[in-house]
Amino acid sequence: MSYFTDDTVVFYNGEWINAKDAQTSVYAQTLHYGNAVFEGIRAYATDYGCSIFKAHEHYERLEYSAKKMYIPFNYSVDTLIQLSYQLLEKNGLKDAYIRPLIFPEPNMSLMPVENANVLIAAWKWDRYLGSKLLNVMISSFERPNPKSCHVEAKVSGHYTNSILATTEAKHKGFDEALLLDMNGYLAEGPGANLFFEKDETLYTPALGNILPGITRATIIELANAMGYKVVEGQFKTEDLLAADSAFFTGTAAEVAGIQSVNGKAFNLKWEDSIGYQLSDAYQQLVVEKSVHNHPMI
Ligand code: PMP
């Protein structure tokens, strides 16, 4: 897919420029070593115009990720939110995906840099995992050991692990992978968190070996508000295989129902699952909640 046209504008190092004119150095530390931090954010069209869902949470996580990787970050969260709204307006986008990326200046050493580039781009992006139920495989790749990196930060280099897992799954005829942690417990998808339902209770891997998803937190709040218990803990593949239903959550994927794991289908119809109800509630919330957060109101 093409992410920009001749007219697309991006924010790049303090300026608004055409995406087609944006350039970077071939000596960028990011290109060679994967050192950069980014976010994935969604904006939704509401009755009051375009509105960014959980903008503060996303830019706070970006700031956190940058700090963890010693990447200088000189913009306030509020400024980045304002820039994001301007970006959407300049590109005539309402329902859109926003991608801020903070990446170091050229540096071939393995030391932190003094300056970093700031890019914010946006494009129209359908649900990342589509809208059909997913056939998932347990990956032969594990999520990175949290003692080898800041697994809770959104760092570009971590996504080589995600690329390996998704590619393996696709090559084997599945739609998506599910990764375990280094101790063999369920962790998360390559770009989304996992929930499963058993006897009308929801279960999700605890924080520690996963990216603490903003959608995950939203789904826990929504489930609790709907009267469902959510248990965060360490679960095995067998727990998932014995579950009634399961789904992924993420900003790009939203709520994506899972049909089967390693070829074993869940017995509960997706339409009868808590995940389905939450998917509906999430779709309402991103528009309603956005209305309350909208800077113009
Ligand atoms: N886990 C991973 C590895 C991800 O890349 C993402 C997407 N950012 C998520 C979980 C979901 O996070 P969020 O709900 O904040 O988008």
Side-chain angles (χ1 to χ4, degrees):
M1 94 164 247
S2 174
Y3 297 95
F4 62 94
T5 66
D6 282 357
D7 301 324
T8 303
V9 171
V10 296
F11 177 83
Y12 194 37
N13 294 337
E15 289 176 38
W16 298 104
I17 62 168
N18 278 327
K20 65 175 167 25
D21 299 327
Q23 295 193 344
T24 188
S25 167
V26 292
Y27 298 94
Q29 201 181 35
T30 314
L31 275 181
H32 294 252
Y33 311 129
N35 190 25
V37 295
F38 70 101
E39 267 306 316
I41 309 172
R42 262 195 199 279
Y44 292 89
T46 74
D47 290 348
Y48 302 89
C50 156
S51 192
I52 301 173
F53 187 63
K54 302 246 165 167
H56 277 96
E57 285 85 342
H58 280 285
Y59 279 115
E60 274 159 16
R61 187 168 67 187
L62 184 67
E63 193 171 25
Y64 172 87
S65 301
K67 202 171 269 171
K68 285 289 164 186
M69 295 310 293
Y70 308 101
I71 295 176
F73 187 94
N74 301 320
Y75 289 81
S76 72
V77 164
D78 284 341
T79 302
L80 290 165
I81 295 173
Q82 279 169 20
L83 289 169
S84 302
Y85 275 106
Q86 286 173 32
L87 176 74
L88 294 170
E89 203 179 314
K90 284 177 192 292
N91 288 291
L93 289 165
K94 289 203 168 95
D95 270 309
Y97 182 80
I98 305 168
R99 168 57 58 82
L101 175 75
I102 317 289
F103 63 106
E105 63 187 356
N107 180 7
M108 290 296 92
S109 84
L110 299 177
M111 288 295 291
V113 297
E114 285 188 6
N115 293 300
N117 301 287
V118 176
L119 170 78
I120 315 178
W123 62 88
K124 202 162 168 40
W125 219 17
D126 290 341
R127 275 184 173 182
Y128 178 63
L129 296 169
S131 295
K132 84 171 192 43
L133 298 182
L134 303 167
N135 293 312
V136 166
M137 70 168 271
I138 303 287
S139 183
S140 69
F141 297 98
E142 294 171 353
R143 284 303 282 164
N145 184 326
K147 288 182 182 161
S148 70
C149 63
H150 295 291
V151 73
E152 77 291 358
K154 209 163 163 59
V155 179
S156 297
H158 296 180
Y159 284 81
T160 53
N161 170 256
S162 299
I163 288 169
L164 287 171
T166 297
T167 306
E168 177 190 46
K170 299 260 185 206
H171 282 168
K172 294 197 166 169
F174 292 88
D175 299 311
E176 185 55 299
L178 172 61
L179 293 91
L180 306 180
D181 67 20
M182 72 289 176
N183 296 317
Y185 292 105
L186 298 170
E188 60 187 331
N193 292 114
L194 172 77
F195 284 82
F196 61 92
E197 171 183 349
K198 178 72 181 169
D199 297 334
E200 290 177 29
T201 294
L202 283 179
Y203 297 85
T204 192
L207 300 184
N209 299 324
I210 60 171
L211 187 82
I214 290 164
T215 320
R216 175 186 179 278
T218 307
I219 288 293
I220 292 174
E221 274 176 31
L222 277 175
N224 287 334
M226 287 161 66
Y228 293 114
K229 195 171 154 204
V230 183
V231 181
E232 296 176 68
Q234 292 184 312
F235 308 107
K236 291 278 193 184
T237 302
E238 301 82 77
D239 299 319
L240 177 62
L241 293 174
D244 300 324
S245 178
F247 56 95
F248 282 129
T249 64
T251 300
E254 300 182 321
V255 176
I258 298 175
Q259 176 155 296
S260 70
V261 174
N262 285 355
K264 183 178 183 295
F266 291 108
N267 53 17
L268 196 60
K269 243 177 77 190
W270 173 240
E271 288 74 17
D272 297 333
S273 71
I274 301 175
Y276 181 80
Q277 289 177 40
L278 284 166
S279 172
D280 245 15
Y282 185 77
Q283 288 308 320
Q284 278 175 36
L285 183 77
V286 291
V287 179
E288 280 166 21
K289 177 86 173 196
S290 301
V291 169
H292 296 139
N293 287 341
H294 200 280
M296 307 305 284
I297 298 170

